Amino acid sequence: MASKRMNVLVYSGNGATIDSVRHCLYTLRRLLSPKYAVLTVAGDAIIKEPWTASCAMLVLPGGADLGYCRTLNGEGNRRILQFVERGGAYLGFCAGGYYGSKRCEFEVGNKNLEVAGNRELAFYPDTCRGCAFPGYVPHSEAGARNVELKVSKNALGASLVPEIFRSYYNGGGVFVDASRYHDEGVEILASFTENTHVDAGEDSAAVVYCKVGDGAAILTSPHPEFASVNLAGDEDSEAPGYSEIVEALSQYDKPRTDFLKACLMKLGLRVNQDEDPVPSLSRLHLSSLIASTTTELVASLEDIITVENDEEYINDDNDTFHIERPSSWSVPEKQIEKANEQNSNEDRILNYSTIIKRVVVHDKEYPASKETPYFDHHAYFTSLKHYQSQSRDEQSGFGQQILYGEVVTSTSTILEKNTQILRRLPSGLTATATVQVAGRGRGNNVWVSPAGALVFSTVIRHPVSLLKHAPVIFLQYLAALAVVEGIKNYDDGYQNLPIKLKWPNDICKSNLILSLAQAQGSVCVLIRDGLDALDPDDPTGKIYVKIGGILVNSHYSSSEYHSVVGIGINTANANPSISLNALRPPVPFTLEKLLARILTCFSGFYTRFKRTGFDRHFEEMYYRHWLHTDQIVTLEAEGGVRARIKGITTDWGLLVAEELGWEDRPTGKRWTLQTDSNSFDFFKGLVKKKV
């Protein structure tokens, strides 16, 4: 049986630029994953490896056409052409558009830039001539433009495509006399609305579709794969007007994306309409409340930093980190190939541990909004200072140093699985992210958290000398209390939000028919009055919906526990479950402010805990927020014994239940239940032994 074509391969070999590959991966993964595995492919693999049988589309990104020729001329191009003729798809952006034409003419007459000659693929049967607009400067944004394109809606056959949109442009050509080749299977998909700088013949074709045997190719002059958010987050450009170009492009992100979707569908690919596939990992940004302390933190890692070709790296147990300064955005081409290398087997996914994690050190000022468009560092640190000034509790400095990434594997994994770094990090350092993805094992990519959820992990160095009165097991209880107290003390008017704790640290909401996750360490919301969707098996009208989770991992080293407390809270995300903002707070929660509020609470609680242990103050606070006082349950593992929940022990945080006999009278026998081996089933009133 023929194998399914599930791979979309983005060429990353000679000629391709790092940024163009990055933009392709970013956009195509959002539009095509998990239906397709969007991978990079090197030139040698195209020439030597059996990639065609499992490949749905080959993408040649922006870069240098001559580099493609040097690597792929001959056997490489023969295989690409055969792949397309036998039903495959080819998508060429900018340089990939020049390369897919019969003839390339680039800056003819300019001795420093001129490139002219025939090309072997010849999907487009005439010339791609450029630059379509003047001002191109190699390796610069000086010639970048925000070009307007008129779409040929009939050719795309999609009702939702825009008539006009704008796209990033930098050095692309125009497909000369494209309308003449209609009978040869050429269709104009979009045209420039401005007059071009070079002779375009009868048309100003900017994007063309070419029928090739049983397959097809789409060649573009502009870059519809370039999302404005990535341009804004890219390295600072000194080109005049560049920021205005990016701002203008941001207004056309949706029509640009709709056009690109239509192009992919015309090539026969199945496209995500909800645009929620797993994105590429992003840079990590290290910053501090007091910027200069970031330098001190990096200095504490000096003994594990290695230098290769004047670049600094940390090779740890799970990940490799490349330390960068804010002005440094590019990496050697071999690194991006190594970073994205993965097995072409469709049953496998990207092994994120092989990707070099790039850490930008901000030791002068906070990251700019264009570098981290989904997390406002200024708002976060301002809120942190505000809450610290209001706190009556002594602080432990939680959240004063943060490591943020727009897209990460897992904030907990980054800290907890890299023990060399973990042993040197200060207590209170917090990693946070806009989106977490999981990339281990087989099958499709798995979401850990969607955008809109607050996800973070905090390092705590807990001395062994404190274990007698302050056991490390209570960190999960302190974290749960910090979440609830942080939400209720976010601002005036939030105190009455229906937030409750489920043992050991869950938080829940009723009247929605949604399942309750039984995992240890989650957070839920309880609303007692029903709306209209009640569980038919629950006559009380109380159905609990998980909105978050808490996970604590600890390592013992040098007379102290290095603990990583991971917390996730559905805050502003519409799916997959209820979120805090769905509870109609006075003003919607923002992630930055909520993170600062929770960390301030957590910091104060931990400082007191080190001094007093889990004392009556914490007990009363915990019982005030939890659901279970005097709740009657059945102890499934003890033969169906009925018991009444009485509280938790203050030594090891065990759940206390007193046995009930005739007419639910206490028998005098008490049970203590461990959090790592038992769970509640509130729908059935059971405490069950975990399998």
Side-chain angles (χ1 to χ4, degrees), residues 364-550:
K364 305 283 186 199
E365 57 187 5
Y366 302 151
S369 58
K370 72 174 185 176
E371 294 176 289
T372 60
Y374 297 107
F375 188 85
D376 188 333
H377 284 76
H378 290 271
Y380 165 74
F381 284 119
T382 298
S383 296
L384 187 70
K385 287 188 285 187
H386 169 71
Y387 287 131
Q388 287 177 341
S389 68
Q390 287 188 329
S391 177
R392 289 177 293 182
D393 300 321
E394 183 183 350
Q395 293 289 306
S396 295
F398 286 14
Q400 292 190 164
Q401 295 167 312
I402 64 169
L403 181 67
Y404 166 78
E406 180 184 334
V407 182
V408 304
T409 52
S410 161
T411 58
S412 289
T413 297
I414 288 174
L415 299 177
E416 190 256 330
K417 296 296 184 183
N418 293 293
T419 57
Q420 293 187 72
I421 294 176
L422 178 62
R423 287 195 295 267
R424 293 164 174 81
L425 292 179
S427 197
L429 180 138
T430 296
T432 186
T434 297
V435 172
Q436 292 187 138
V437 296
R440 298 180 187 141
R442 299 169 65 85
N444 292 330
N445 293 305
V446 179
W447 288 99
V448 175
S449 68
L454 175 60
V455 292
F456 63 99
S457 298
T458 298
V459 174
I460 297 179
R461 302 179 67 158
H462 192 67
V464 172
S465 60
L466 300 180
L467 291 185
K468 186 173 182 179
H469 75 278
V472 72
I473 187 68
F474 279 101
L475 291 181
Q476 62 180 326
Y477 292 94
L478 297 179
L481 286 173
V483 170
V484 177
E485 287 286 320
I487 291 169
K488 288 179 173 286
N489 293 283
Y490 179 81
D491 212 331
D492 293 338
Y494 292 77
Q495 292 80 5
N496 295 324
L497 286 178
I499 307 293
K500 291 290 182 181
L501 281 174
K502 164 182 170 287
W503 178 79
N505 39 31
D506 287 15
I507 310 181
C508 306
K509 170 189 186 320
S510 79
N511 61 35
L512 292 178
I513 302 178
L514 293 172
S515 62
L516 170 65
Q518 299 291 336
Q520 174 188 349
S522 35
V523 185
C524 315
V525 184
L526 172 63
I527 294 180
R528 300 189 181 277
D529 296 326
L531 294 176
D532 58 2
L534 298 177
D535 188 332
D537 296 326
D538 178 41
T540 67
K542 300 174 184 178
I543 301 179
Y544 303 95
V545 180
K546 178 180 175 182
I547 64 165
I550 297 170

Side-chain angles (χ1 to χ4, degrees), residues 25-100:
L25 295 175
Y26 175 93
T27 297
L28 293 177
R29 283 175 177 165
R30 279 164 168 75
L31 297 182
L32 299 175
S33 297
K35 297 179 177 68
Y36 300 91
V38 183
L39 319 171
T40 57
V41 61
D44 282 348
I46 289 179
I47 295 169
K48 300 176 182 178
E49 301 295 329
W51 57 272
T52 59
S54 60
C55 181
M57 181 172 71
L58 177 66
V59 181
L60 262 70
D65 160 85
L66 283 180
Y68 301 162
C69 293
R70 294 187 185 104
T71 298
L72 299 175
N73 273 356
E75 179 61 17
N77 285 334
R78 186 193 68 78
R79 299 185 76 185
I80 293 172
L81 183 58
Q82 184 181 74
F83 160 72
V84 177
E85 289 177 336
R86 293 181 177 179
Y90 173 99
L91 180 57
F93 294 116
C94 197
Y98 283 110
Y99 189 66

Side-chain angles (χ1 to χ4, degrees), residues 164 169 188 249 317 323 338 342 349 403 407 510 542 581:
I164 296 287
Y169 165 91
I188 299 174
L249 288 172
D317 301 336
I323 300 174
K338 176 184 177 182
Q342 52 184 306
I349 61 173
L403 181 67
V407 182
S510 79
K542 300 174 184 178
N581 283 344

